């Protein structure tokens, strides 16, 4: 099912339908400030396992990421010291994934790695959903094979054609990007840019 949403003034019933899907353990595809992504309620382990199977990710070997609505909700799910807090405040919302040590509020599936990726995209649609859900959204980019047409990653109608059968809802937020987020590791008291993507980190 494809649902058109906008930066603001969305129908509250449409938003509630998405929240109900997430609370029921469903999967959605949505725009971010980088690429379209697939996600679920970040505290529902079965839904997270479904996404891991779709993406063929082993959560014991790969970091999982969550979208948080704001900085105060980040500190519930990740350990944030003052320097990292200042850095995030300076750069978020934006196209970054900050890798931090997770807290025990996250489901067991995250604790295999002890770390969690934190996203706070500069995209009103997914941030509003995270705010209304009042919980993190586990997030990962769509599965993509190298020989595929890029439009299957960027055009919501084609995304729905390809993935509509394996998720509960595809949100059409316009044409998406093709550049991933910049990944910044902040776990060992030093910053390391693990992957340079769309975001250019501004240090204080």
């Amino acid at each position: 099912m494809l649902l058109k949403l906008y930066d603001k003034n969305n129908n509250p019933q449409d938003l509630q339908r998405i929240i109900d899907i997430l609370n029921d353990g469903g999967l959605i595809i949505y725009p971010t400030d980088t690429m379209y992504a697939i996600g679920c309620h970040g505290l529902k382990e079965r839904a997270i396992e479904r996404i891991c199977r779709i993406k063929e990710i082993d959560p014991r070997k790969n970091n999982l990421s969550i979208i948080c609505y704001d900085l105060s909700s980040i500190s519930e799910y990740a350990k944030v010291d003052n320097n990292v807090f200042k850095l995030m405040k300076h750069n978020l919302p934006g196209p970054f994934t900050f890798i931090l040590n997770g807290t025990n509020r996250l489901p067991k599936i995250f604790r295999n790695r002890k770390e969690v990726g934190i996203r706070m995209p500069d995209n009103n649609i997914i941030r509003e959903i995270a705010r209304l859900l009042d919980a993190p959204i586990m997030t990962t980019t769509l599965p993509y094979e190298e020989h595929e047409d890029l439009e299957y990653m960027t055009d919501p109608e084609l995304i729905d054609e390809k993935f509509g059968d394996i998720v509960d809802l595809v949100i059409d937020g316009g044409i998406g990007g093709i550049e991933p987020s910049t990944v910044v590791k902040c776990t060992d008291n030093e910053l390391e840019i693990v992957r340079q993507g769309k975001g250019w980190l501004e240090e204080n």
Side-chain angles (χ1 to χ4, degrees):
M1 185 169 64
L2 191 62
L3 177 65
K4 178 77 179 161
L5 289 184
Y6 303 91
D7 265 3
K8 53 188 176 188
N9 301 328
N10 287 299
N11 182 335
Q13 286 172 309
D14 287 341
L15 294 170
Q16 189 56 49
R17 191 194 314 174
I18 297 165
I19 302 309
D20 291 344
I21 287 170
L22 293 169
N23 279 325
D24 288 343
L27 309 186
I28 63 170
I29 290 173
Y30 46 86
T32 71
D33 53 355
T34 53
M35 305 159 84
Y36 267 83
I38 180 171
C40 66
H41 193 301
L43 305 180
K44 294 195 180 288
E45 200 138 1
R46 279 210 176 136
I48 296 169
E49 285 167 355
R50 268 179 73 194
I51 292 179
C52 289
R53 282 196 296 275
I54 290 168
K55 278 282 296 241
E56 298 178 351
I57 323 177
D58 182 346
R60 288 166 302 191
K61 295 179 184 160
N62 297 78
N63 278 332
L64 301 178
S65 294
I66 56 174
I67 288 173
C68 292
Y69 167 66
D70 59 12
L71 287 165
S72 64
S73 56
I74 289 172
S75 56
E76 287 183 55
Y77 304 104
K79 294 170 184 165
V80 184
D81 66 27
N82 282 344
N83 290 336
V84 171
F85 182 84
K86 281 182 196 158
L87 185 72
M88 290 197 300
K89 193 172 180 188
H90 204 57
N91 289 277
L92 294 178
F96 297 95
T97 302
F98 287 95
I99 298 177
L100 303 168
N101 291 311
T103 69
N104 59 11
R105 293 226 32 205
L106 288 167
K108 198 164 77 244
I109 195 165
F110 284 90
R111 289 183 218 149
N112 299 313
R113 298 269 304 159
K114 299 189 171 62
E115 295 170 353
V116 61
I118 297 291
R119 285 277 277 129
M120 200 169 118
D122 189 10
N123 177 284
N124 287 346
I125 293 172
I126 193 58
R127 283 190 66 217
E128 178 67 359
I129 291 165
R131 184 184 74 79
L132 292 168
L133 186 65
D134 197 23
I137 295 169
M138 184 259 170
T139 187
T140 181
T141 50
L142 293 175
Y144 175 69
E145 288 156 26
E146 279 180 25
H147 60 82
E148 269 185 328
D149 189 328
L150 269 176
E151 288 183 335
Y152 281 94
M153 295 280 285
T154 59
D155 183 324
E157 289 187 11
L158 292 177
I159 290 169
D160 184 49
E161 186 184 298
K162 183 178 177 187
F163 296 106
D165 292 344
I166 56 171
V167 300
D168 299 275
L169 182 74
V170 176
I171 295 170
D172 176 353
I175 297 297
I178 55 169
E179 220 178 339
S181 64
T182 295
V183 178
V184 187
K185 195 167 168 37
C186 306
T187 49
D188 304 318
N189 293 327
E190 56 183 71
L191 293 181
E192 181 192 350
I193 293 181
V194 180
R195 176 182 75 196
Q196 180 61 56
K198 185 178 174 186
W200 291 88
L201 194 70
E202 290 183 22
E203 297 190 41
N204 303 334

